[in-house]
Amino acid sequence: MNLPNYITIFRIFLVPFFFSFLIYYNSNHSNFRILALILFLIAIGTDALDGFIARSFAKKTELGTFLDPFADKLLLLSGFLGITLSSALTIKPPVWVVVIVVFRDLFIICGLGIIFLTTSRIRIHPNFIGKLTTFFQMLTIATVLIEWQHTHLIWLVAAVLTIGSVIGYLAR
């Protein structure tokens, strides 16, 4: 265990609180949306921080190569499902966008499981389209939480990139 791994574990620890604020956000708890946004921003900030430390100070570990994408998927799935389940959010992506995001991650997780069962190894190599997809998925959640009027443009880009990344994973 090293500092980047501890930071990633901290990000995982934030997820249930972030998800709870999304689910319980309503007119009686209007500050929960802002609290969810703050926790989400802290989580994506720690994502950048742990990656920077791991790369800059040669702190990459096998555990980190598994934990970091796991933490990202957990955060993003919690965000998209929490937004979908929230009755108080006025701007949110249509269900088909959430379905695309969820099934992409299930596809990747199942694929990694099959690879591990057949080879006893998992090699996770993020690519540019995957990183761009994650960025736009995170941006979608953030713009929904700040209630930006043009969020639909962001989630459309996120949906197209998500589909593109699935095609890329299939090709690899």
Side-chain angles (χ1 to χ4, degrees):
M1 289 288 288
N2 61 17
L3 182 58
N5 292 342
Y6 284 119
I7 293 170
T8 302
I9 290 169
F10 174 71
R11 184 164 77 250
I12 293 169
F13 176 77
L14 291 177
V15 170
F17 298 99
F18 164 65
F19 185 72
S20 295
F21 285 133
L22 283 176
I23 294 298
Y24 291 109
Y25 165 60
N26 60 39
S27 59
N28 294 330
H29 300 101
S30 59
N31 59 328
F32 281 10
R33 181 182 56 81
I34 299 301
L35 291 171
L37 176 63
I38 290 167
L39 287 180
F40 185 72
L41 294 175
I42 290 169
I44 62 176
T46 61
D47 184 27
L49 180 63
D50 68 23
F52 172 77
I53 293 171
R55 283 186 302 278
S56 299
F57 299 102
K59 297 286 185 185
K60 287 185 179 182
T61 64
E62 193 169 327
L63 177 62
T65 61
F66 171 78
L67 271 184
D68 187 64
F70 173 75
D72 288 347
K73 292 192 182 334
L74 195 60
L75 178 66
L76 289 169
L77 289 174
S78 296
F80 276 99
L81 293 174
I83 284 168
T84 300
L85 296 173
S86 174
S87 59
L89 288 168
T90 56
I91 299 173
K92 53 184 164 182
V95 173
W96 65 266
V97 171
V98 177
V99 168
I100 289 170
V101 170
V102 169
F103 276 95
R104 172 205 181 243
D105 286 346
L106 288 175
F107 171 78
I108 292 170
I109 291 166
C110 290
L112 288 173
I114 291 168
I115 290 169
F116 179 75
L117 290 174
T118 58
T119 66
S120 298
R121 291 183 48 170
I122 294 179
R123 295 181 60 183
I124 300 172
H125 296 289
N127 60 18
F128 179 72
I129 187 96
K131 288 182 177 284
L132 196 59
T133 300
T134 298
F135 172 78
F136 272 92
Q137 288 176 354
M138 288 178 174
L139 192 58
T140 296
I141 293 169
T143 58
V144 165
L145 292 176
I146 64 170
E147 298 179 332
W148 187 50
Q149 298 271 341
H150 303 289
T151 298
H152 65 282
L153 300 172
I154 303 298
W155 73 56
L156 289 175
V157 172
V160 169
L161 287 170
T162 301
I163 293 167
S165 72
V166 169
I167 294 168
Y169 283 116
L170 278 173
R172 287 197 310 170

